[in-house]
Amino acid sequence: MNSPSDNVRHATPPILLALALWAWQADLLPWGLAMGAILEALRFSKVRFVPRTEDLNRLWNATVLLFIGVALYLFLARRGLESVGTIVTTSSPATRLDEMREMSQTAVVLLRWLPFVFYPFIVATSVSRTTTLPWEVFSLRLRAMGPEVSGLRPPDWATGQIHPGYLYFALVLFASCAGTARSKAYLPLLLSVLALALWPWRSRRYRAWSWVGMYLCLLVGAAVTERGIERARQTLLALEGRLMQNAGQGDRFDQLHGVTSIGAVGRLKESGRIILRVRTPDGTAPGLLREAVFNRFRASVWGATHREFQTVGTPIDGHIWRFSRRQRSGRFMTIARYTAQGEAPIALPSGTIMITNLPALAVETNYLASARMHEAPPLVVYTVEHGPGGGFDGPPDADDTNLDSLKGPDSEAIEETAQALGLKGQPPDHAVAILERYFATKFEYTRWQDRSTGQTNSSPLAAFLRESRAGHCEYFATATVLLLRAAGVPARYAVGFSPGEPRGDTWLARARDAHAWCLAWINGHWQDVDTTPGTWRQHEAVAAGWSEAIRDWFSDAWYHFALWRQRGGNWRIFVFAAGMIALSWLGWRQLRGSRWRRAREQQTAHPQRTSPLPGLDSEFFALAAVIARNHGPRLPHETPRAWLRRLSLIGTPTASLLDEALQLHYRLRFDPRGLPESDRCRLRELARQLLGTHRAPGFRNRID
Amino acid sequence: MLIGATSDPVSNPQTEGNRDAPKVTPPQETYLRLHRTICQVIRGQDATVRRVLAAFASGGHVLLNDYPGTGKTTLAKALARAIAAQFTRIQFTPDLLPSDILGVAIFHQSNGEFRFHEGPVFTNILLADEINRASPRTQSALLEAMAEGQVSVEGQRRVLPELFFVIATQNPIEFRGTYPLPEAQMDRFALQLDLGYLPPEEESAMLAAQMRDHPLDRISACTTVSEVLALRRAVQDVRVSDEIRRYMVELVAATRKTAGVRLGASPRASLALMKTSQALALFAGMECVTPDHVQEIAVPVLAHRLVLDPQAQYSGQSQRSVVEDVLRQVPTPA
């Protein structure tokens, strides 16, 4: 049985397999196989050279430079700096997303190329006689610190050596993760290659079959985990969508089937949840914002005959959707709303010219000028420019005057009312005026509907027109559309919101502000005709409960949070700038820190040199220099007293003076309190005297 | 010997006291009286007496290590006599038990209680004679007393007198029936001193002095416990500069790095080095420690704490030579 260290010394990773796996994933199979074959063949080659440490260092430096070069090339060859610039400056989320994708693809390509980049290095080490390389090769810092820092390494690095083959093996496997050929077989294959590489390193205490069992467990575990991660990702995405959805509009809005509450019995209940936040520059009421337009009424359901939604072409500058060729009006409103899983109808005022800043990937409209967005973030804030003559509604066609879909009682009631009002043959604006007056004077708004009359030849709409003369906006709008059609005026039924609650410069549209009205073709363009009595808003306001303020507060808080989370525009630049400043500061700290650290290390190594020592200006030193010149220097380990004693100067005629000077010098040097000025003067005087004596010619002879 | 010849003017308190510091402080006066009194008994050992007193004044304990008959016990007794303090002597034998040192609780039939009878350790000056003859167990009974000035007997902590000084003697030549002191015990002694044989003229003077009676009988207490305590406090006030402190630490650290040393000097050794140097500075009438004081006391403070590799011992290295080498290697502040 081999000892583990033997295994370690002789083990080499299955590099051919790893390269094959990588090449399969990166779609470079011939390359990978060739590279692996060369590496495997080199094992059997007899050619070996013994590299010096400097050679290895230089080789690694060259490899790192190659890596940087390849990274730069990739970065510049693709969109490069321009991409970064766009990401920072663009205000279009879609563009930014695209550029981010571009950048990440650059990174992925770089990752995929890693085995190429490090191949020369691994080939060179394969033909060298060294199986392992010291860590210093891979780190300039370790190189700079020198061999004495090896004690600073973690204990298991104590050998200070690393097998370059395993390093390259890990790199290849890592690169293989960035592959394009996603396959279910990838994970088991990756694990198998890893298991093969680790096989010689296994502990021999356990039998081989237990290792195989463990490998199988790992395989199953990996498969389960992979599935689990995907599920968790989806759950998280769904959760986020649902959270946002709960804050915004509940269910998906159907722009093709407007199921009305016509015929519903009892109180119409709508919540006070805030759906839209509309901001107009001058604070004027935004008017009616429509979300869907219908043109066919059948059995309480409004439908659209032109069902096809068509994608509006590529936005200008990535975020401007222009709908009308009309001159720009300069009248804007900004609308914020939540989307349901990235989709929502676009609430628009009549006469929309263009939409800007809409962060959706696609916008669709249909013939009836309903608009919707796709692939939008959970919260969208867009600006609409609108004005007279704008809008993209299709011109009236046969469907807009069609009353064929009406059933018996409805048809009769409409016919009857149109007759009574004398609508037929009236010019459109007159017909509208008649209807407006009629509904304003003879009808009233209510959210309450009695159980409908038991007559079988009646319908809710007929009952509204003939008997109750009270209903909610859908009754009024439906009746108006149908009556206008009866008068020969093309008319459509629009639903949307009528924001009526200003708060600061923002108009709120709550769920109960949902409204229905009529679009009439008057003088060559579509015009909003709202015949619902103006009291409807007061009726609706009654529904506001005491808790609405609290719910509004939470709603606002959530809105601001969502806005902060995905705000486009300039803040990214600030973040980028702040990041750059922080990075440069860190770099500067690093540089300065290292210098500082070096200085401190020096201080600990030679404490006497850097910290100021007291009494270094002592006059005794000058005296000592003269004595040293005359009689021989002081040894480093000798104290001045021991030195003077060795020189036998203590017993000379000047001994007592010398001793006193030394005593004062000692106090000056070693007493933390220092020497009083008087004693210092005495030391100066003694030194002067003694210098005179010791410099005198013949002094040396005299004492000798 | 590298430093500290007995003719050193620094170690001659009389001359130095007269010349440098005309005004002798009371603590220094206490020292001078003690030194004079002891030197009446121990002839020709001025430097050793000075160092013993340095340990005594700095609150350390002393281990005298020399051949029989060199005056170890006499020195200890002379010190005890010179101070009007309580003195006890324990003769260490192999059958000595810890309770013989610390004391024992004895049942009194008259009142039916155990009463603690203090052992000889409850004293001011304790002479532990031939300390290496007792078993390690008994030697260790002194550990707590020496380090912390207290003993724990039968679960009770008993505080020793404020002035508590152990002067132990041991005979290095005798191996039979001896137990070498464990390293922990060794570390508790601030100094280990060798008395050594006297020069012939000193020895003959000693003979002359002891023709009729022992000089020990002639001396009487020259100082009091409170004066000694004042001396100790004064020693603590002697100033040590950062540079000197670093020098001491470098010396101690160097013993740990020297080849052939298995166990270097402990931080307790650094402390002892500083305190005894302070005492020497005070004896010399100085208010701050100089490198001379450190060098003088380094060998007695450090040498006995070192444990050498057998290899180093056989190749002629001794603990003392290691410390002397260290003194030669570490640059002295000047």
Side-chain angles (χ1 to χ4, degrees):
Chain A
M1 194 154 114
N2 292 341
S3 74
S5 59
D6 279 352
N7 295 331
V8 170
R9 208 168 299 138
H10 298 299
T12 40
I15 197 75
L16 176 61
L17 284 177
L19 276 168
L21 184 68
W22 158 74
W24 168 56
Q25 283 289 302
D27 225 0
L28 297 162
L29 202 54
W31 284 95
L33 290 178
M35 285 159 70
I38 292 173
L39 275 183
E40 296 289 348
L42 281 176
R43 275 191 210 175
F44 303 103
S45 107
K46 292 256 158 52
V47 184
R48 287 283 185 275
F49 71 93
V50 183
R52 290 170 304 162
T53 316
E54 303 90 81
D55 299 333
L56 289 171
N57 290 351
R58 223 166 289 147
L59 186 61
W60 180 252
N61 290 353
T63 309
V64 170
L65 284 180
L66 180 65
F67 171 73
I68 294 172
V70 167
L72 267 179
Y73 166 74
L74 276 178
F75 186 65
L76 295 176
R78 298 170 76 95
R79 300 284 298 281
L81 281 173
E82 187 195 335
S83 200
V84 176
T86 318
I87 288 176
V88 172
T89 53
T90 185
S91 57
S92 154
T95 319
R96 187 175 304 129
L97 210 63
D98 277 352
E99 296 296 347
M100 296 269 221
R101 255 175 223 159
E102 174 72 26
M103 289 282 283
S104 65
Q105 269 166 16
T106 309
V108 166
V109 170
L110 178 63
L111 206 59
R112 217 178 292 153
W113 284 12
L114 280 184
F116 283 127
V117 174
F118 290 89
Y119 193 67
F121 180 78
I122 200 68
V123 167
T125 49
S126 297
V127 294
S128 77
R129 205 169 278 267
T130 51
T131 39
T132 57
L133 299 179
W135 280 106
E136 281 77 11
V137 170
F138 301 102
S139 163
L140 279 177
R141 192 174 149 76
L142 279 180
R143 277 187 220 164
M145 288 199 285
E148 67 269 18
V149 293
S150 52
L152 298 176
R153 288 198 202 96
D156 49 339
W157 291 13
T159 53
Q161 300 278 319
I162 183 167
H163 193 300
Y166 276 95
L167 210 61
Y168 187 68
F169 175 73
L171 191 87
V172 170
L173 289 188
F174 182 58
S176 78
C177 299
T180 48
R182 279 273 152 235
S183 157
K184 286 217 186 309
Y186 172 69
L187 196 61
L189 280 175
L190 177 70
L191 281 175
S192 307
V193 173
L194 265 178
L196 266 177
L198 292 175
W199 185 252
W201 297 68
R202 74 190 187 280
S203 162
R204 305 293 164 117
R205 259 179 76 188
Y206 305 98
R207 299 231 182 101
W209 57 262
S210 60
W211 286 113
V212 172
M214 203 170 283
Y215 162 71
L216 289 176
C217 287
L218 201 66
L219 215 57
V220 173
V224 169
T225 312
E226 194 188 24
R227 184 72 59 83
I229 286 174
E230 184 54 31
R231 283 287 292 278
R233 200 178 66 87
Q234 279 170 4
T235 312
L236 266 179
L237 276 179
L239 195 68
E240 193 187 47
R242 208 172 305 149
L243 267 177
M244 288 295 186
Q245 196 177 327
N246 282 345
Q249 196 161 14
D251 38 20
R252 252 161 121 157
F253 183 78
D254 192 342
Q255 287 170 304
L256 296 173
H257 291 94
V259 179
T260 64
S261 298
I262 293 173
V265 174
R267 186 167 292 280
L268 188 71
K269 286 200 177 110
E270 281 291 359
S271 77
R273 199 173 59 204
I274 298 169
I275 309 275
L276 301 178
R277 287 173 167 83
V278 186
R279 185 177 296 172
T280 50
D282 46 0
T284 51
L288 297 166
L289 303 175
R290 67 175 178 222
E291 289 197 329
V293 181
F294 303 106
N295 61 358
R296 188 171 63 174
F297 183 70
R298 182 185 281 164
S300 308
V301 176
W302 275 100
T305 51
H306 298 279
R307 306 172 67 92
E308 307 78 26
F309 271 92
Q310 279 177 346
T311 310
V312 182
T314 341
I316 308 159
D317 289 349
H319 65 102
I320 299 173
W321 275 271
R322 185 144 194 169
F323 294 101
S324 169
R325 303 238 162 263
R326 290 277 165 180
Q327 284 242 314
R328 299 183 56 177
S329 67
R331 286 169 61 194
F332 295 94
M333 69 172 72
T334 304
I335 301 172
R337 74 166 305 151
Y338 296 100
T339 63
Q341 288 166 9
E343 310 212 344
I346 306 176
L348 293 172
S350 66
T352 299
I353 297 168
M354 63 181 189
I355 305 178
T356 49
N357 291 334
L358 181 62
L361 283 187
V363 168
E364 290 181 336
T365 56
N366 69 357
Y367 186 75
L368 300 177
S370 300
R372 64 188 185 195
M373 58 183 119
H374 291 289
E375 313 269 330
L379 173 70
V380 290
V381 183
Y382 55 93
T383 305
V384 183
E385 186 171 0
H386 61 104
F392 49 98
D393 310 57
D397 58 6
D399 288 331
D400 295 321
T401 47
N402 194 351
L403 290 170
D404 297 345
S405 59
L406 287 186
K407 281 192 186 159
D410 287 345
S411 181
E412 284 165 18
I414 292 294
E415 198 62 33
E416 188 185 301
T417 313
Q419 287 277 338
L421 291 174
L423 287 174
K424 300 234 168 169
Q426 294 278 358
D429 42 351
H430 276 232
V432 168
I434 289 169
L435 280 178
E436 276 178 343
R437 202 177 325 119
Y438 176 63
F439 282 119
T441 52
K442 302 276 172 52
F443 285 71
E444 64 179 46
Y445 184 84
T446 178
R447 298 162 67 226
W448 175 264
Q449 285 294 316
D450 278 328
R451 181 167 290 277
S452 61
T453 49
Q455 298 172 339
T456 47
N457 63 342
S458 186
S459 72
L461 187 65
F464 166 74
L465 283 173
R466 287 168 177 161
E467 297 150 27
S468 67
R469 300 207 164 189
H472 56 265
C473 57
E474 287 170 345
Y475 283 96
F476 287 98
T478 306
T480 310
V481 171
L482 297 177
L483 284 169
L484 279 177
R485 286 181 180 183
V489 180
R492 289 172 182 168
Y493 173 85
V495 293
F497 290 90
S498 170
E501 189 182 337
R503 194 200 290 160
D505 57 348
T506 305
W507 290 77
L508 302 181
R510 299 177 187 275
R512 63 164 183 265
D513 291 330
H515 197 47
W517 62 94
C518 168
L519 297 179
W521 180 257
I522 303 168
N523 301 333
H525 61 266
W526 292 99
Q527 199 173 311
D528 287 338
V529 177
D530 186 7
T531 52
T532 309
T535 54
W536 73 273
R537 205 175 287 286
Q538 280 100 56
H539 281 271
E540 295 293 347
V542 175
W546 57 271
S547 61
E548 193 159 282
I550 300 168
R551 275 186 289 144
D552 279 359
W553 189 88
F554 279 108
S555 171
D556 284 345
W558 180 263
Y559 169 69
H560 287 296
F561 169 70
L563 204 62
W564 171 81
R565 257 203 59 186
Q566 60 180 57
R567 159 156 269 149
N570 290 342
W571 70 283
R572 267 166 213 276
I573 295 180
F574 291 125
V575 167
F576 185 73
M580 289 319 267
I581 290 170
L583 265 180
S584 20
W585 182 72
L586 276 177
W588 183 74
R589 266 281 309 262
Q590 193 65 32
L591 280 175
R592 206 181 125 263
S594 63
R595 202 186 317 145
W596 176 71
R597 203 160 44 238
R598 223 173 295 134
R600 206 175 49 172
E601 275 160 14
Q602 278 171 358
Q603 182 180 338
T604 48
H606 312 284
Q608 299 91 334
R609 279 186 211 165
T610 45
S611 75
L613 293 174
L616 283 186
D617 53 345
S618 169
E619 289 72 15
F620 183 80
F621 286 121
L623 181 59
V626 173
I627 296 175
R629 207 164 43 240
N630 289 346
H631 306 282
R634 182 179 71 90
L635 301 176
H637 67 264
E638 269 180 326
T639 62
R641 192 184 290 282
W643 173 51
L644 295 181
R645 194 165 56 234
R646 179 164 61 83
L647 298 180
S648 307
L649 288 181
I650 296 287
T652 57
T654 54
S656 65
L657 289 183
L658 199 55
D659 198 48
E660 192 184 348
L662 181 59
Q663 199 78 9
L664 288 171
H665 168 72
Y666 269 166
R667 283 174 61 196
L668 178 62
R669 286 278 289 117
F670 301 122
D671 193 338
R673 284 205 194 146
L675 199 59
E677 195 47 44
S678 56
D679 288 345
R680 187 67 198 269
C681 291
R682 173 77 183 142
L683 176 59
R684 277 190 203 115
E685 188 195 330
L686 282 170
R688 208 167 32 244
Q689 279 185 25
L690 287 164
L691 274 175
T693 333
H694 282 263
R695 275 186 187 143
F699 174 78
R700 187 180 175 159
N701 299 339
R702 199 157 65 232
I703 64 152
D704 286 346
Chain B
M1 185 170 173
L2 181 72
I3 295 130
T6 41
S7 57
D8 182 356
V10 175
S11 39
N12 192 335
Q14 280 86 356
T15 55
E16 193 164 275
N18 293 340
R19 190 181 58 228
D20 279 327
K23 42 188 193 306
V24 174
T25 56
Q28 202 188 351
E29 173 62 33
T30 309
Y31 156 71
L32 290 173
R33 274 205 308 271
L34 273 173
H35 189 268
R36 211 176 299 125
T37 309
I38 296 169
C39 283
Q40 284 172 17
V41 182
I42 309 287
R43 290 298 181 93
Q45 298 280 13
D46 288 13
T48 309
V49 171
R50 185 175 135 79
R51 287 167 198 168
V52 167
L53 286 176
F56 178 65
S58 61
H61 308 285
V62 173
L63 178 63
L64 296 173
N65 185 56
D66 218 328
Y67 309 116
T70 46
K72 304 186 293 286
T73 312
T74 313
L75 172 60
K77 285 165 78 177
L79 174 64
R81 286 261 173 100
I83 305 164
Q86 204 184 341
F87 168 74
T88 50
R89 171 182 175 153
I90 310 172
Q91 190 65 43
F92 279 61
T93 54
D95 57 350
L96 193 76
L97 292 176
S99 57
D100 296 332
I101 295 174
L102 304 179
V104 69
I106 292 173
F107 184 70
H108 281 253
Q109 272 187 327
S110 55
N111 49 13
E113 281 177 351
F114 279 97
R115 203 196 303 156
F116 184 72
H117 285 252
E118 290 183 345
V121 79
F122 290 88
T123 185
N124 293 128
I125 296 171
L126 176 69
L127 170 59
D129 212 9
E130 307 219 49
I131 191 169
N132 58 342
R133 283 189 172 275
S135 65
R137 183 182 166 213
T138 310
Q139 290 169 359
S140 299
L142 275 177
L143 279 182
E144 188 189 359
M146 288 169 66
E148 290 161 49
Q150 63 175 35
V151 289
S152 302
V153 189
E154 296 179 355
Q156 264 204 314
R157 178 175 161 272
R158 292 169 197 279
V159 182
L160 298 176
E162 195 181 354
L163 175 63
F164 175 70
F165 177 67
V166 176
I167 181 162
T169 69
Q170 73 171 358
N171 179 352
I173 205 73
E174 219 166 349
F175 291 114
R176 223 161 288 158
T178 63
Y179 302 90
L181 285 175
E183 285 77 26
Q185 178 80 45
M186 274 300 208
D187 205 26
R188 254 83 176 174
F189 286 105
L191 297 181
Q192 175 184 302
L193 292 167
D194 307 333
L195 289 175
Y197 292 118
L198 292 177
E201 58 271 30
E202 288 286 347
E203 201 166 337
S204 79
M206 184 197 76
L207 293 182
Q210 298 195 14
M211 275 175 76
R212 285 178 181 278
D213 54 354
H214 199 279
L216 201 55
D217 302 329
R218 286 203 297 272
I219 63 167
S220 55
C222 64
T223 179
T224 63
V225 172
S226 61
E227 278 176 330
V228 170
L229 292 177
L231 171 64
R232 283 192 172 184
R233 279 192 294 276
V235 165
Q236 288 165 3
D237 291 340
V238 173
R239 295 185 285 275
V240 188
S241 73
D242 287 344
E243 203 180 351
I244 295 287
R245 266 200 292 270
R246 271 202 299 270
Y247 176 56
M248 291 193 254
V249 170
E250 277 170 24
L251 284 178
V252 171
T255 65
R256 298 170 196 156
K257 289 181 203 147
T258 307
V261 176
R262 199 195 296 162
L263 181 68
S266 59
R268 191 186 274 138
S270 321
L271 265 177
L273 187 60
M274 182 182 76
K275 288 181 174 175
T276 46
S277 304
Q278 280 175 301
L280 287 183
L282 181 129
F283 295 168
M286 293 201 66
E287 289 178 351
C288 61
V289 175
T290 71
D292 291 297
H293 302 130
V294 181
Q295 290 201 347
E296 182 190 350
I297 206 75
V299 171
V301 170
L302 300 180
H304 67 284
R305 299 171 204 257
L306 307 181
V307 178
L308 300 187
D309 281 333
Q311 198 72 40
Q313 276 176 335
Y314 295 137
S315 65
Q317 246 182 319
S318 68
Q319 296 162 320
R320 188 187 182 96
S321 71
V322 167
V323 181
E324 284 171 358
D325 283 344
V326 162
L327 282 172
R328 237 174 257 126
Q329 283 156 14
V330 178
T332 313

